[in-house]
């Protein structure tokens, strides 16, 4: 038991060190800058040491500690945060149910921020098993899809739409089509054009909606598809002409 205990103590020391460095405001700017660099180096050293002994721990302890380590690393070193988030995602397949979903959500949250292209790839590797405890109309996986889609849409703008639609089709063949996530993404993608070129932005939203509606009408509709398409309607309804939305509401 000494190894796991040491790891926990190191993790607490990391957090304490980091907080103390951030709260040290009474020093001069030059002194504070040198102190911060030294504090960060010490934190990274301790963080790496704690991670190095993860393999010696029980799987349950590794889930908790690697999540904390990846979160801290992602704030200080992009490469390490990305690597450990990938490791956390791989580790998630050693469990199932709520534990798997929670672990994958933590890993994907980091990757969506640091490496959204990698997060997009991993969406296709996620477990199809949904936990039974979620209380929203959108399952956890769809919430992750929305997060990744929005980050890519914000980064690439309108040029992201074709690739996101393609990914939505692939996800639809694997599980459920992410209507809601696509709706949020297209609105984010056109947000920069909206003030200066509203007709072009509306055209982009309209075309994505029409293709999604056609798919929804052709596919076998179940509860999840109904909820997801309803989410999309809520997002785009305030922007598209009422006459173009009427068939969707009638259906």
């Amino acid at each position: 038991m000494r190894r796991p205990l040491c790891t926990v103590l190191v993790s607490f020391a990391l957090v304490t060190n980091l907080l103390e460095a951030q709260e040290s405001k009474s020093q001069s700017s030059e002194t504070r800058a040198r102190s911060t660099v030294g504090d960060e180096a010490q934190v990274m050293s301790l963080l790496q040491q704690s991670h190095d002994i993860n393999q010696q721990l029980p799987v349950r302890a590794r889930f908790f500690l690697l999540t904390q380590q990846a979160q801290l690393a992602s704030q200080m070193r992009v490469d390490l945060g990305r690597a450990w988030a990938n490791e956390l995602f791989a580790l998630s397949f050693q469990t199932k149910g709520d534990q798997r979903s929670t672990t994958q959500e933590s890993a994907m949250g980091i990757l969506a921020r640091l490496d959204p292209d990698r997060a997009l790839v991993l969406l296709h590797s996620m477990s199809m098993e949904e936990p039974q405890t979620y209380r929203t109309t959108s399952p956890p996986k769809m919430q992750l899809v929305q997060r990744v889609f929005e980050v890519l849409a914000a980064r690439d703008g309108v040029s992201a739409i074709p690739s996101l639609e393609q990914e939505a089709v692939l996800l639809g063949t694997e599980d459920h089509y992410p209507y809601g996530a696509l709706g949020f993404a297209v609105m984010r993608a056109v947000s920069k054009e909206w003030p200066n070129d509203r007709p072009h932005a509306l055209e982009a939203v309209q075309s994505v909606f029409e293709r999604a509606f056609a798919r929804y009408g052709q596919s076998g509709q179940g509860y999840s598809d109904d909820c997801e398409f309803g989410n999309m309607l809520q997002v785009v309804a305030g922007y598209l002409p009422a006459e173009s939305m009427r068939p969707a509401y009638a259906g």
Side-chain angles (χ1 to χ4, degrees):
M1 295 298 292
R2 295 183 63 185
R3 284 290 187 182
L5 179 59
C6 288
T7 304
V8 172
L9 291 175
V10 166
S11 296
F12 276 113
L14 289 172
V15 175
T16 303
N17 258 345
L18 188 57
L19 289 176
E20 288 177 350
Q22 291 174 338
E23 291 173 357
S24 179
K25 297 181 179 179
S26 60
Q27 303 167 328
S28 68
S29 298
E30 184 178 352
T31 304
R32 187 165 60 249
R34 288 198 302 268
S35 176
T36 300
V37 171
D39 287 339
E40 288 183 357
Q42 184 179 11
V43 169
M44 288 309 304
S45 175
L46 291 170
L47 191 58
Q48 185 67 63
Q49 290 176 45
S50 70
H51 177 266
D52 289 345
I53 62 174
N54 278 1
Q55 298 297 326
Q56 304 173 35
L57 302 174
V59 172
R60 186 178 295 274
R62 289 171 62 195
F63 283 122
F64 171 76
L65 290 171
L66 185 54
T67 299
Q68 305 307 311
Q69 291 158 351
Q71 291 285 1
L72 275 174
S74 72
Q75 298 172 30
M76 305 179 71
R77 269 186 53 186
V78 170
D79 59 335
L80 208 55
R82 184 168 52 232
W84 290 358
N86 276 294
E87 183 181 337
L88 183 62
F89 188 90
L91 183 65
S92 72
F93 290 98
Q94 296 189 31
T95 187
K96 57 184 179 180
D98 285 358
Q99 178 73 72
R100 178 179 292 182
S101 176
T102 301
T103 303
Q104 289 184 346
E105 183 176 357
S106 297
M108 292 290 280
I110 296 171
L111 289 171
R113 178 164 48 90
L114 300 183
D115 191 355
D117 296 298
R118 173 62 175 165
L120 190 67
V121 171
L122 290 180
L123 284 173
H124 301 285
S125 304
M126 288 182 65
S127 169
M128 295 297 104
E129 178 184 3
E130 294 286 5
Q132 299 300 312
T133 57
Y134 68 84
R135 294 179 173 85
T136 66
T137 56
S138 184
K141 181 175 179 180
M142 289 296 104
Q143 295 174 32
L144 288 174
V145 173
Q146 179 177 322
R147 189 183 310 176
V148 175
F149 274 27
E150 283 197 76
V151 170
L152 290 168
R155 186 190 72 184
D156 299 335
V158 176
S159 64
I161 293 176
S163 61
L164 292 180
E165 285 190 285
Q166 185 177 13
E167 291 295 334
V169 170
L170 291 174
L171 289 166
T173 61
E174 297 166 359
D175 192 14
H176 301 296
Y177 190 89
Y179 294 101
L182 191 59
F184 278 103
V186 69
M187 295 309 302
R188 180 60 62 88
V190 302
S191 61
K192 292 181 180 179
E193 296 192 6
W194 196 266
N196 302 318
D197 194 356
R198 185 165 296 189
H200 184 254
L202 282 173
E203 182 183 356
V205 177
Q206 181 76 51
S207 16
V208 170
F209 174 72
E210 288 176 355
R211 286 190 288 270
F213 180 46
R215 179 187 176 89
Y216 177 70
Q218 294 168 2
S219 62
Q221 298 166 21
Y223 175 75
S224 294
D225 286 333
D226 291 342
C227 289
E228 281 300 311
F229 189 70
N231 290 338
M232 185 179 206
L233 281 177
Q234 287 183 335
V235 175
V236 303
Y239 298 89
L240 296 179
E243 60 272 17
S244 68
M245 303 294 296
R246 199 167 290 117
Y249 285 113

